[in-house]
């Protein structure tokens, strides 16, 4: 096999998979997205509590945040087999459910 045949075979084998550069970019984008999400959740809590006088919006924001973060840690546990990721995922899912319950209790639906 010459160099071109090896490169072509490698392209076929890795078709649809992320290369190292794309994988790193996706990791950075995920980090920035999650950081932006927590900043927006915190801002929504402050605005909903002190300006709008609707604390249930803050509960919804934290419910979504912990659900997203818990899902991310669950996937990381499945892929990397790090037990700490499973612990984080369980804690975050519990917090998501707790904020969901608070949301319904404070809104008068239960």
């Amino acid at each position: 096999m010459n160099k071109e045949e090896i490169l072509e075979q490698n392209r076929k084998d890795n078709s649809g998979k992320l290369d190292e550069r794309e994988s790193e970019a996706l990791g950075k984008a995920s980090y920035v997205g999650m950081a932006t999400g927590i900043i927006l959740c915190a801002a929504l809590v402050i605005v909903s509590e002190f300006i709008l006088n609707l604390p249930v919006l803050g509960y919804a924001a934290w419910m979504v945040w912990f659900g997203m973060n818990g899902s991310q840690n669950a996937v990381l546990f499945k892929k990397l087999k790090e037990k700490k990721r499973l612990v984080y995922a369980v804690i975050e899912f519990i917090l998501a459910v707790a904020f969901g319950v608070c949301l319904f209790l404070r809104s008068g639906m239960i």
Side-chain angles (χ1 to χ4, degrees):
M1 281 186 148
N2 65 23
K3 180 181 174 182
E4 294 302 319
E5 290 172 330
I6 293 171
L7 287 172
E8 183 61 33
Q9 182 63 36
N10 189 31
R11 282 189 203 103
K12 286 180 185 176
D13 292 344
N14 294 319
S15 177
K17 295 180 183 175
L18 296 177
D19 65 18
E20 187 175 332
R21 181 183 61 84
E22 292 169 328
S23 185
E24 183 180 332
L26 181 61
K28 177 71 171 172
S30 295
Y31 175 79
V32 170
M34 294 300 278
T36 302
I38 197 161
I39 291 168
L40 290 173
C41 283
L44 184 57
V45 167
I46 292 167
V47 168
S48 69
E49 187 72 37
F50 298 111
I51 296 173
L52 301 176
N53 199 24
L54 294 170
V56 294
L57 289 178
Y59 295 139
W62 288 124
M63 181 181 69
V64 170
W65 165 256
F66 284 115
M68 287 172 34
N69 216 32
S71 298
Q72 182 183 41
N73 276 311
V75 170
L76 286 171
F77 167 72
K78 185 177 179 183
K79 297 288 184 183
L80 302 176
K81 305 294 186 221
E82 294 176 346
K83 290 184 181 181
K84 70 178 183 177
R85 296 293 182 173
L86 178 61
V87 172
Y88 295 156
V90 169
I91 291 169
E92 288 162 343
F93 284 138
I94 290 170
L95 287 169
V97 169
F99 278 110
V101 169
C102 289
L103 172 70
F104 284 107
L105 290 175
R106 287 291 300 261
S107 67
M109 296 181 82
I110 295 179

